[in-house]
Amino acid sequence: MPNRSDRTGWNNLSPTKREAFSRAISTTQGLYQDVVNRVIQQTTNRHYGMMSLLDRKPGQGAAAQIRMRAGMGATSTAWVGEGTSDGTADPTYNSVSFDYETLSSTGTITRQAMASGRGYADVLAEEMMFRLDDFNNMMDKTLFDGTGVAPIPTGLAYQLDADTTQGTGVAGALTLKDLDALIDRVRGSNNPQDMVLVSSQKGCRNLSALLQADQQFNDVTEIAAGFRVRTYQGIPVVADTNIADDCDVNVTTLAIGALTGGTLTPFFLMNRKTNWIEELTPTTIVPLPRQSANAQVFEIYWDGVFVFANTAGYGVHYFTAS
């Protein structure tokens, strides 16, 4: 009768496994096996509140072209007697363009890094995913603080810097009265599902504390990708880690001195029907031809611009967050 232990014994091992065991036993450390966690950790904390909520629309040409009609108020219409001309003014139309810009990132993974991680992860695919996270973070950050100096698109903070009529001034601590004034100032606020309130994590916590102190109960609504967030007056309230709590803003003109080094936190309100992201080329990841056997290079790129189509479709309130 055959010895059953031989089926799993030394004689039953392949030559390759015998050699591996012999090397391990001959070392001073003895026989052991490294245990490697199969998850590569990305050491960041990011919430893309602004970018994730705005619609994306296809673009064409060299820029997004928007036609705006200036509000005329009482000069456009008049009560008149029989046979009398109303004498009202003609409307004024302006053309505004938002030039498309390019966001790009090039990543390199060495052959050795890919080989060393082969046993637990596809290092190249993981790096593409992490680099895409960095890429999206830069897009979201620029949507807030883009200076508008080519090739950087204009972000919401600097768009409002040029259009201070949509700001409600600068105050100390946040109050619901100030937030209500901001909502009243923005076009379309009577349809709260089209609107979004965005601030820093600290700013959103300040609003939550106000609602608790006033014993107001806010609802929860579902936004893009199925996320559920709280609301204020039916408007989704979203935190964004790229919005700063140390903005330096002129208290009179709302002109931005800098988006760091100050003491103020913005609360933005946007109408998603009149503000969007326009894409000439959607985000694309392309492995580049090898120039060397020692590394694999890839590129991520996007062509587009942030469009603020109506100057009454956004607003901001700056306050001192606690």
Side-chain angles (χ1 to χ4, degrees), residues 69-77 88-93:
R69 178 183 184 274
M72 299 179 63
T75 62
S76 65
T77 310
T88 54
D90 294 328
T92 301
Y93 290 89

Side-chain angles (χ1 to χ4, degrees), residues 272-294:
R272 289 183 287 170
K273 296 294 186 184
T274 59
N275 302 279
W276 64 84
I277 299 172
E278 191 155 315
E279 296 181 318
L280 192 61
T281 307
T283 301
T284 305
I285 304 177
V286 179
L288 300 181
R290 284 181 179 267
Q291 302 298 317
S292 164
N294 291 322

